[in-house]
Amino acid sequence: MKVLKFGGSSVANAVNIQKVAGIIKRGSEAQVIVVSALGGVTDQLIKAGTLAEKKDETYKEVLQELEKKHLDTARALLPVTHQSSCLSMVKQHFNELEEICNSVFYLEELSLRIKDRMISFGELLSSKIISAFMLSLGMEHEWIDSRKVIKTNSNFGFAAVNFSISNDLISYTITSSHKKLFLAPGFISSDDHGNTTTLGRGGSDYTAAIFAAAINASSLEIWTDVTGMMTADPRWVPNAKTIARTSYQEAMELSHFGAKVIYPPTIQPVMQKNIPTWVKNTFEPEEAGTVIESAGESSGEIITGISSISTIALLSLEGSGMVGIPGFSKRLFEALASEKINVILITQSSSEHSICVAVNTADADKAKTVVDNAFEIEINQGKVEPLKIEQGQSIIALVGDKMRSHTGIAGRMFSALGRNGVNIRAIAQGSSERNISAVISADDVKKAVNVLHEAFFETTYKQLNVFIVGAGNVGGKLLDQLKKQQSFLLDHLNLQVRITGIANSRNMLFVDNGNEIDLNNWKDALNNAQPMQLDAFVDTVIQKNLRNSVFVDITANELVANVYSRLLSKAVSVVACNKIAASSSYENYSHLKSLAKEFNALYLFETNVGAGLPVIGTLNDLRRSGDKVSKIQAVLSGTLNFVFNNYNGSKPFTEVVKQAQDEGYTEPDPRLDLGGTDVMRKIMILAREAGEKIEMEDITNNAFLPVSCFDGSVEDFYKEMGKQEAHFKALYDEAAAKNCKLKFVAQYENGKASVGLQHIPADSDFYHLYGKDNIVLFYTQRYPEQPLVVKGAGAGADVTASGVFADIIRVARV
Ligand code: ADP
Ligand code: ASP
Ligand code: MG
């Protein structure tokens, strides 16, 4: 004989109930069918009762809607000839419900006893409608009133089953019947006085397990709306996979820590009788689902699943008076038990200074009163602090039988959480070593589940959530490159790069959680998106709280550079094309670097020097591997290179500069390039990355641009430059006379940095440097005479975008 339980969504409406009947019909052996209330009905019944208690007459509307739902379902299921008795049964039940609610309304009181009576109607109605439907299909069966066979104490709302009586009643009812098919309402039971009790929310699973154990069923099948127990809640983790097989113990841990697919007490009765329990999908009945049975060889995975409880409160009892004195924990737990407060997790520090327990949010105030009472004397003597309550917490648990025989699981768990800025408040590891659980902020729980799922199950790929500010020329190129590379990254680096937010100076675009921006039409979408507001953009990045988040700044805007610290403090990595932050005060630069370190994020700015060339990356690699930089020589301005490569006196200097500007090689104000400021910033960034504490004032600038050029607007500057043509020509001629070229060279040596024009002879590394190329020579302990050279295009939207791209990928690979 088998027991099958169909949950609320499986019996939510007529169409689903027809599917259920189909599944029952397939069974060849005798079966007991346990059903929940139609989906959502228990919640609505509670709502009606609570409204009535608050003297809110709208409870009547709630009841009316519920009545209609049941009548409609019965009408849709039954042929007209079979309808009348079922419809009058529904009406009669609702009359009774209304009378109960009216009394609650007048008395303004909803006791737990009356509440149980009210909510029992959900399962009574569903089972009776389904019974009528089965009869109309010729499926002969016996309807069992679960209240008559499952006896409990009078703990309304969460009654404890008296197994010795219930087992006998159930087995007698079934063995004394000649029927082979039975149907019973889940969730409901009764106490010694005949009052209706319930087994706790989600308790229909438990009803089915109680039946299964009482009759020694060959199997129990829990039919629900997902294909089995999964590696995580599929509503949160789209990649969650069905667990093919799991042990009773693992299933118990997973459900205890929040895997709602099975109500936790369900496992105990079937485990005692060793009854294999299946979790199957009513909507995909052919899928195998999960089998829960005694431990044996299990699948290869060390971790079976991840579960979480979203809303708990953390209670801490602390005080010096607790050290070494036995009985403190006993008193704490007795106090909690006296109020029937369920303790979900316990940790005690080895110093015995504090005990931390997690309880349901709703129990926290009650716990405070009862515990402070129990320790009143010690609190008054100052030996123990009043109970501390932290609301807004969650528990996340990693579960697996095989954890016992593997080391490093906790390390992997906590480093994955740490990398994503999830702060851990308390940790517990069951002595069975079957689970590791941690208390974290409720704001982080969804991210944490995904982080752990990625760390333990998704060996297939890692997800990066990218937010881009500055979707102009370089930003546009970056998005193009990302679009082209997406499938390559997935196939070759197992990396899913999702663009989750884009902004330009006008608008900002975000997509809902779980989605990504379609890179085929991001421009249109951005044009039609909400107006850009930097603070709101940053708030959204932080509030979305997605794993592996990267903020990409492709602006030259100081306000954007000012938000990095907020982001890094939330473990969001920053990739900056914007030079402002790295070339701001040393204090700010090093603050950002240390924030990144502290919060396990990355702050990368490779494109600040040499666009896409691997300059900073090379320097970092040299230092990380123990090398010491003694000197850097470089030509770092694509603009100046372009200008001096194209100027020989035949065309005025102004025109060459104008051309550079028109081709997009200069800053909006070309004086930043020509005056040397841009090169100063770059050599300063390199010196800082080489370990030097250096500021802009420390850099000598041997400027070649006459001072008069710095006055006025950009237009004035061009005019003045025209007047100074003789000066530029003289610079050129002087170099040419020595067969030299002019290059604007940056140098760092012995803690000093300088920039300025130099005459470059033909045998120099700098001589053959064309177009907008950059070159950097690193002289180090390992490269004392022949420097390590990085050379190539040092400006241009495409190469800059590819440098930013490389930084983004670097974030994923740490
Ligand atoms: P029923 O009404 O059939 O009893 P429930 O809503 O109680 O169904 O339980 C099924 C739901 O449990 C699923 O829809 C899923 O969202 C949730 N769930 C949470 N954790 C898990 C998990 N680890 N595996 C499968 N489902 C889970
Ligand atoms: N109907 C009850 C509830 O919603 C029991 C169940 O569905 O398992 O909690
Ligand atoms: Mg359920």
Side-chain angles (χ1 to χ4, degrees):
M1 197 167 210
K2 286 202 300 189
V3 177
L4 281 66
K5 177 259 171 175
F6 294 91
S9 50
S10 304
V11 296
N13 51 44
V15 174
N16 295 1
I17 293 173
Q18 273 154 348
K19 292 199 167 82
V20 167
I23 292 167
I24 300 170
K25 269 190 189 161
R26 302 192 315 184
S28 47
E29 33 178 337
Q31 302 179 84
V32 178
I33 312 301
V34 174
V35 293
S36 289
L38 308 191
V41 166
T42 312
D43 286 338
Q44 287 303 100
L45 287 168
I46 294 174
K47 185 173 167 196
T50 324
L51 286 171
E53 186 189 24
K54 287 194 199 138
K55 262 240 127 9
D56 182 338
E57 288 199 64
T58 53
Y59 73 85
K60 291 186 180 152
E61 287 161 29
V62 178
L63 287 184
Q64 263 163 19
E65 253 172 56
L66 278 176
E67 180 170 2
K68 180 168 182 307
K69 181 186 182 108
H70 286 88
L71 289 173
D72 287 351
T73 307
R75 286 197 187 101
L77 283 171
L78 299 169
V80 184
T81 44
H82 286 61
Q83 280 180 6
S84 66
S85 65
C86 186
L87 297 183
S88 60
M89 175 278 294
V90 172
K91 285 180 184 153
Q92 201 187 324
H93 278 59
F94 275 94
N95 287 342
E96 208 179 315
L97 258 173
E98 196 168 347
E99 275 173 29
I100 298 173
C101 273
N102 290 343
S103 316
V104 171
F105 181 82
Y106 286 117
L107 297 172
E108 293 179 55
E109 188 180 321
L110 178 63
S111 68
L112 290 175
R113 182 169 73 92
I114 299 301
K115 191 171 166 188
D116 267 3
R117 186 140 161 239
M118 276 192 70
I119 57 180
S120 71
F121 280 88
E123 267 70 8
L124 285 173
L125 283 158
S126 67
S127 62
K128 287 183 179 178
I129 293 171
I130 293 167
S131 175
F133 175 54
M134 283 166 59
L135 283 179
S136 76
L137 295 177
M139 297 164 75
E140 265 304 308
H141 66 278
E142 183 172 332
W143 182 85
I144 300 175
D145 187 343
S146 300
R147 293 170 299 183
K148 298 240 164 74
V149 294
I150 299 184
K151 301 302 289 184
T152 66
N153 66 6
S154 303
N155 185 16
F156 298 102
F158 200 68
V161 176
N162 181 333
F163 278 95
S164 60
I165 300 178
S166 307
N167 285 345
D168 287 349
L169 287 170
I170 293 168
S171 86
Y172 176 77
T173 308
I174 286 178
T175 49
S176 61
S177 168
H178 60 276
K179 299 263 168 52
K180 288 192 133 193
L181 187 57
F182 300 86
L183 174 65
F187 186 48
I188 61 176
S189 42
S190 70
D191 69 4
D192 287 346
H193 311 287
N195 293 311
T196 299
T197 54
T198 61
L199 300 174
R201 292 303 309 271
S204 295
D205 296 339
Y206 191 28
T207 307
I210 297 166
F211 270 98
I215 59 175
N216 283 314
S218 58
S219 66
L220 166 63
E221 294 175 5
I222 306 281
W223 289 82
T224 181
D225 60 352
V226 284
T227 305
M229 278 198 110
M230 308 187 79
T231 48
D233 187 341
R235 278 172 307 184
W236 278 5
V237 181
N239 294 321
K241 293 177 290 207
T242 299
I243 301 164
R245 187 194 166 282
T246 176
S247 69
Y248 294 117
Q249 287 83 357
E250 283 176 335
M252 202 141 50
E253 299 278 354
L254 281 169
S255 68
H256 174 77
F257 285 109
K260 186 182 172 228
V261 64
I262 287 197
Y263 180 52
T266 308
I267 305 293
Q268 196 66 33
V270 283
M271 181 168 79
Q272 269 172 359
K273 293 285 180 81
N274 214 353
I275 298 168
T277 299
W278 292 85
V279 181
K280 290 181 68 87
N281 190 344
T282 303
F283 309 98
E284 286 179 25
E286 306 307 328
E287 297 285 329
T290 301
V291 60
I292 306 168
E293 55 192 0
S294 53
E297 325 80 78
S298 60
S299 61
E301 310 282 349
I302 301 164
I303 300 303
T304 304
I306 297 156
S307 53
S308 63
I309 307 176
S310 298
T311 51
I312 57 129
L314 194 62
L315 315 180
S316 332
L317 188 66
E318 292 178 9
S320 54
M322 292 172 53
V323 181
I325 302 175
F328 262 90
S329 358
K330 177 167 169 271
R331 284 169 59 199
L332 169 67
F333 293 115
E334 273 173 1
L336 294 171
S338 71
E339 281 292 328
K340 303 198 175 72
I341 295 170
N342 182 28
V343 173
I344 306 169
L345 169 149
I346 308 166
T347 65
Q348 175 163 29
S349 72
S350 54
S351 68
E352 295 184 54
H353 250 74
S354 71
I355 305 177
C356 254
V357 297
V359 302
N360 286 319
T361 303
D363 288 334
D365 290 339
K366 228 171 16 176
K368 166 104 182 126
T369 314
V370 56
V371 173
D372 283 352
N373 268 340
F375 290 93
E376 196 180 350
I377 298 172
E378 286 87 349
I379 291 173
N380 287 338
Q381 291 171 344
K383 287 184 181 165
V384 171
E385 306 284 327
L387 189 71
K388 225 169 64 197
I389 299 183
E390 280 170 84
Q391 287 284 15
Q393 305 293 306
S394 294
I395 296 182
I396 175 150
L398 207 57
V399 174
D401 281 343
K402 283 193 170 172
M403 240 188 253
R404 235 169 320 178
S405 47
H406 281 81
T407 52
I409 304 295
R412 215 158 120 202
M413 171 175 181
F414 296 123
S415 64
L417 292 174
R419 268 202 308 280
N420 279 279
V422 178
N423 189 28
I424 307 214
R425 290 285 301 104
I427 300 171
Q429 175 162 32
S431 55
S432 61
E433 287 190 51
R434 196 168 276 125
N435 90 69
I436 305 174
S437 33
V439 177
I440 59 176
S441 159
D443 295 340
D444 286 334
V445 64
K446 188 172 172 190
K447 174 164 83 169
V449 172
N450 276 286
V451 163
L452 294 184
H453 200 267
E454 191 170 88
F456 288 96
F457 293 105
E458 290 164 34
T459 37
T460 44
Y461 72 84
K462 182 169 183 177
Q463 185 182 90
L464 213 56
N465 290 292
V466 181
F467 300 86
I468 297 175
V469 174
N473 193 8
V474 175
K477 290 273 188 320
L478 172 67
L479 288 164
D480 282 349
Q481 292 178 6
L482 281 166
K483 187 174 86 185
K484 283 199 199 108
Q485 283 305 100
Q486 260 171 342
S487 60
F488 176 88
L489 291 172
L490 202 56
D491 294 346
H492 293 84
L493 297 183
N494 300 327
L495 193 62
Q496 185 194 32
V497 180
R498 293 197 327 167
I499 308 300
T500 338
I502 304 182
N504 56 22
S505 54
R506 294 175 305 280
N507 294 350
M508 59 182 187
L509 171 70
F510 288 103
V511 279
D512 289 339
N513 287 348
N515 292 327
E516 60 185 299
I517 292 171
D518 178 3
L519 292 186
N520 291 310
N521 69 352
W522 65 269
K523 280 190 188 141
D524 285 345
L526 182 59
N527 281 337
N528 296 317
Q530 55 185 312
M532 168 62 168
Q533 250 201 311
L534 183 60
D535 279 340
F537 190 93
V538 175
D539 289 344
T540 310
V541 175
I542 292 171
Q543 172 250 320
K544 278 190 179 276
N545 205 2
L546 297 170
R547 67 190 188 277
N548 309 321
S549 289
V550 193
F551 176 88
V552 182
D553 175 6
I554 320 183
T555 71
N557 188 317
E558 185 168 1
L559 295 174
V560 182
N562 290 344
V563 304
Y564 300 170
S565 58
R566 260 188 82 200
L567 290 158
L568 291 168
S569 321
K570 294 285 176 191
V572 175
S573 290
V574 172
V575 168
C577 184
N578 184 348
K579 282 194 253 317
I580 293 178
S583 60
S584 62
S585 70
Y586 183 81
E587 191 189 343
N588 187 45
Y589 158 87
S590 65
H591 176 61
L592 294 176
K593 290 220 124 190
S594 58
L595 278 181
K597 211 166 172 183
E598 182 181 349
F599 293 96
N600 286 304
L602 288 184
Y603 167 39
L604 299 173
F605 40 88
E606 176 63 87
T607 49
N608 282 190
V609 181
L613 293 179
V615 179
I616 296 177
T618 305
L619 176 52
N620 292 157
D621 285 345
L622 287 171
R623 291 196 71 214
R624 269 196 288 264
S625 61
D627 205 353
K628 254 185 108 143
V629 177
S630 49
K631 182 161 85 173
I632 301 172
Q633 278 183 321
V635 174
L636 292 171
S637 169
T639 319
L640 288 172
N641 231 10
F642 178 90
V643 169
F644 288 109
N645 279 339
N646 286 289
Y647 179 69
N648 57 12
S650 61
K651 239 196 314 185
F653 193 74
T654 335
E655 261 178 46
V656 181
V657 174
K658 190 82 190 63
Q659 190 191 345
Q661 178 157 32
D662 291 345
E663 294 190 17
Y665 301 145
T666 69
E667 300 281 333
D669 183 343
R671 282 172 290 192
L672 278 178
D673 299 301
L674 295 173
T677 313
D678 189 54
V679 177
M680 284 165 76
R681 285 186 195 163
K682 289 175 178 167
I683 193 72
M684 177 171 74
I685 294 172
L686 290 186
R688 285 175 173 178
E689 290 291 295
E692 196 68 51
K693 197 174 159 182
I694 189 171
E695 304 279 5
M696 278 298 259
E697 302 85 80
D698 304 328
I699 301 171
T700 314
N701 181 2
N702 302 312
F704 68 88
L705 205 57
V707 209
S708 56
C709 290
F710 288 94
D711 296 335
S713 64
V714 173
E715 213 176 293
D716 298 333
F717 152 69
Y718 272 110
K719 269 195 212 129
E720 181 59 27
M721 219 171 9
K723 290 187 205 151
Q724 301 282 350
E725 178 59 21
H727 164 72
F728 299 114
K729 182 75 169 55
L731 289 175
Y732 175 81
D733 288 343
E734 212 182 307
K738 290 196 272 170
N739 280 332
C740 285
K741 287 186 181 176
L742 281 173
K743 298 281 169 198
F744 197 79
V745 177
Q747 175 146 329
Y748 159 73
E749 190 173 14
N750 294 331
K752 299 228 158 16
S754 61
V755 302
L757 267 189
Q758 287 184 12
H759 294 166
I760 305 296
D763 60 352
S764 163
D765 283 314
F766 292 166
Y767 192 83
H768 296 287
L769 198 63
Y770 302 104
K772 49 195 182 326
D773 281 5
N774 279 195
I775 184 167
V776 183
L777 315 183
F778 290 112
Y779 293 88
T780 70
Q781 273 174 353
R782 283 187 209 137
Y783 297 91
E785 266 122 46
Q786 276 307 312
L788 175 65
V789 181
V790 182
K791 180 179 169 186
D798 252 321
V799 285
T800 308
S802 71
V804 174
F805 194 160
D807 270 351
I808 296 175
I809 304 301
R810 240 169 241 143
V811 173
R813 311 218 82 192
V814 285

